[in-house]
Amino acid sequence: MPLNTLRQTLSAVHTASARRPLSLSLTLFLLAAGSGCQAHVHADDPGAAPQSPIASTTYRGRGVVKTITPSRTYINIDHEPIEGYMDAMAMFFPVPDTALISGLHVADSITFAIEVGEGGVTLLEASTRASVSTNP
Protein backbone atom coordinates (compact mmCIF):
# COMPACT_ATOMS: atom_id res chain seq x y z
CA MET A 1 0.00 0.00 0.00
CA PRO A 2 1.50 3.40 -0.95
CA LEU A 3 2.52 5.60 1.98
CA ASN A 4 0.13 8.44 1.04
CA THR A 5 -2.81 6.05 0.89
CA LEU A 6 -1.85 4.63 4.28
CA ARG A 7 -1.64 8.14 5.78
CA GLN A 8 -5.04 9.08 4.36
CA THR A 9 -6.57 5.86 5.67
CA LEU A 10 -5.09 6.31 9.14
CA SER A 11 -6.26 9.94 9.21
CA ALA A 12 -9.78 8.89 8.28
CA VAL A 13 -9.66 6.13 10.89
CA HIS A 14 -8.47 8.55 13.54
CA THR A 15 -11.33 10.96 12.76
CA ALA A 16 -13.91 8.17 12.69
CA SER A 17 -12.53 6.42 15.78
CA ALA A 18 -13.81 9.16 18.01
CA ARG A 19 -17.31 8.23 16.88
CA ARG A 20 -16.90 4.47 16.58
CA PRO A 21 -14.04 2.80 18.54
CA LEU A 22 -14.80 -0.59 17.00
CA SER A 23 -14.18 0.76 13.50
CA LEU A 24 -10.58 1.58 14.45
CA SER A 25 -9.90 -2.00 15.45
CA LEU A 26 -11.61 -3.34 12.35
CA THR A 27 -9.79 -0.95 10.04
CA LEU A 28 -6.40 -1.72 11.57
CA PHE A 29 -7.13 -5.42 11.23
CA LEU A 30 -8.05 -5.00 7.57
CA LEU A 31 -4.94 -2.88 6.92
CA ALA A 32 -2.75 -5.52 8.52
CA ALA A 33 -4.44 -8.30 6.59
CA GLY A 34 -4.21 -6.37 3.34
CA SER A 35 -0.51 -5.57 3.78
CA GLY A 36 0.26 -9.28 3.74
CA CYS A 37 -1.70 -9.82 0.55
CA GLN A 38 1.10 -9.02 -1.85
CA ALA A 39 1.04 -10.58 -5.28
CA HIS A 40 2.65 -14.01 -5.04
CA VAL A 41 4.29 -15.71 -7.99
CA HIS A 42 3.17 -19.28 -8.53
CA ALA A 43 5.31 -21.79 -10.38
CA ASP A 44 2.40 -22.80 -12.61
CA ASP A 45 1.73 -19.18 -13.64
CA PRO A 46 2.93 -18.81 -17.25
CA GLY A 47 3.56 -15.09 -16.71
CA ALA A 48 5.57 -15.66 -13.57
CA ALA A 49 9.09 -14.32 -13.38
CA PRO A 50 11.69 -17.09 -13.04
CA GLN A 51 12.88 -17.63 -9.51
CA SER A 52 16.62 -17.44 -9.05
CA PRO A 53 18.12 -20.40 -7.19
CA ILE A 54 19.55 -19.72 -3.77
CA ALA A 55 23.30 -20.25 -3.87
CA SER A 56 24.84 -22.68 -1.43
CA THR A 57 28.22 -22.27 0.20
CA THR A 58 30.61 -24.93 1.45
CA TYR A 59 32.54 -24.38 4.67
CA ARG A 60 35.25 -26.53 6.24
CA GLY A 61 35.85 -27.05 9.93
CA ARG A 62 37.60 -29.05 12.61
CA GLY A 63 36.14 -30.47 15.77
CA VAL A 64 35.46 -33.40 18.05
CA VAL A 65 32.52 -35.81 17.72
CA LYS A 66 30.34 -35.47 20.84
CA THR A 67 27.33 -37.60 19.84
CA ILE A 68 26.08 -39.66 16.92
CA THR A 69 22.36 -40.39 17.01
CA PRO A 70 21.41 -44.09 17.02
CA SER A 71 19.87 -43.68 13.55
CA ARG A 72 23.18 -42.07 12.43
CA THR A 73 21.19 -39.28 10.78
CA TYR A 74 22.69 -36.53 12.99
CA ILE A 75 26.16 -35.92 14.35
CA ASN A 76 26.97 -33.51 17.18
CA ILE A 77 30.32 -31.84 16.61
CA ASP A 78 32.05 -29.56 19.12
CA HIS A 79 33.81 -27.48 16.47
CA GLU A 80 36.32 -24.68 16.27
CA PRO A 81 35.23 -21.42 14.62
CA ILE A 82 34.16 -22.01 11.02
CA GLU A 83 35.79 -19.17 9.15
CA GLY A 84 33.27 -16.88 7.48
CA TYR A 85 30.28 -18.71 8.96
CA MET A 86 30.04 -19.22 12.74
CA ASP A 87 31.82 -19.12 16.06
CA ALA A 88 33.04 -22.19 17.89
CA MET A 89 30.22 -24.23 19.42
CA ALA A 90 28.77 -27.70 19.70
CA MET A 91 25.91 -28.39 17.34
CA PHE A 92 24.10 -31.17 15.53
CA PHE A 93 24.50 -31.48 11.78
CA PRO A 94 22.14 -33.55 9.61
CA VAL A 95 23.80 -36.49 7.86
CA PRO A 96 22.17 -37.11 4.45
CA ASP A 97 24.00 -40.42 3.93
CA THR A 98 25.13 -42.56 6.86
CA ALA A 99 28.16 -43.68 4.82
CA LEU A 100 29.58 -40.18 5.38
CA ILE A 101 30.18 -40.95 9.04
CA SER A 102 30.96 -44.66 8.88
CA GLY A 103 34.00 -45.33 10.99
CA LEU A 104 33.52 -42.22 13.15
CA HIS A 105 33.10 -42.59 16.90
CA VAL A 106 32.43 -40.32 19.86
CA ALA A 107 35.58 -38.41 20.88
CA ASP A 108 37.16 -38.65 17.39
CA SER A 109 38.93 -35.50 16.24
CA ILE A 110 37.65 -34.78 12.75
CA THR A 111 37.76 -32.44 9.82
CA PHE A 112 34.46 -31.86 8.07
CA ALA A 113 32.70 -29.93 5.34
CA ILE A 114 29.18 -28.55 5.50
CA GLU A 115 26.94 -27.03 2.87
CA VAL A 116 24.79 -24.04 3.79
CA GLY A 117 21.95 -23.33 1.40
CA GLU A 118 18.21 -23.15 0.93
CA GLY A 119 17.66 -26.41 2.80
CA GLY A 120 19.76 -25.32 5.79
CA VAL A 121 23.04 -26.86 6.88
CA THR A 122 24.05 -30.35 5.74
CA LEU A 123 27.16 -32.41 6.39
CA LEU A 124 29.03 -33.12 3.14
CA GLU A 125 32.04 -35.02 4.44
CA ALA A 126 33.79 -35.94 7.67
CA SER A 127 37.02 -37.78 8.38
CA THR A 128 39.26 -38.36 11.35
CA ARG A 129 42.28 -36.13 11.69
CA ALA A 130 45.66 -37.79 11.85
CA SER A 131 47.00 -37.45 15.37
CA VAL A 132 50.15 -35.36 15.62
CA SER A 133 52.84 -36.82 17.79
CA THR A 134 54.83 -34.37 19.94
CA ASN A 135 57.53 -36.97 20.76
CA PRO A 136 60.37 -37.55 18.26
Side-chain angles (χ1 to χ4, degrees):
M1 176 178 287
L3 186 57
N4 286 340
T5 305
L6 181 60
R7 284 184 184 148
Q8 290 169 351
T9 304
L10 290 176
S11 176
V13 167
H14 178 67
T15 303
S17 66
R19 293 184 299 241
R20 290 176 277 179
L22 182 59
S23 67
L24 173 63
S25 299
L26 180 59
T27 303
L28 291 176
F29 171 77
L30 293 173
L31 281 173
S35 67
C37 295
Q38 303 296 325
H40 294 285
V41 175
H42 296 284
D44 57 349
D45 182 0
Q51 295 180 359
S52 59
I54 295 176
S56 62
T57 305
T58 300
Y59 296 95
R60 300 197 173 277
R62 297 178 354 171
V64 175
V65 176
K66 301 307 276 182
T67 310
I68 299 173
T69 59
S71 63
R72 302 189 68 79
T73 55
Y74 287 89
I75 184 170
N76 185 2
I77 303 172
D78 187 4
H79 62 80
E80 298 172 0
I82 299 174
E83 189 176 334
Y85 183 57
M86 71 171 58
D87 294 332
M89 67 177 67
M91 70 176 285
F92 281 90
F93 294 96
V95 180
D97 180 359
T98 58
L100 292 172
I101 60 171
S102 65
L104 294 185
H105 302 91
V106 171
D108 282 350
S109 292
I110 64 168
T111 58
F112 62 93
I114 56 172
E115 179 180 58
V116 180
E118 183 178 356
V121 179
T122 304
L123 186 74
L124 293 178
E125 61 184 62
S127 59
T128 56
R129 291 189 285 183
S131 57
V132 178
S133 174
T134 55
N135 296 331

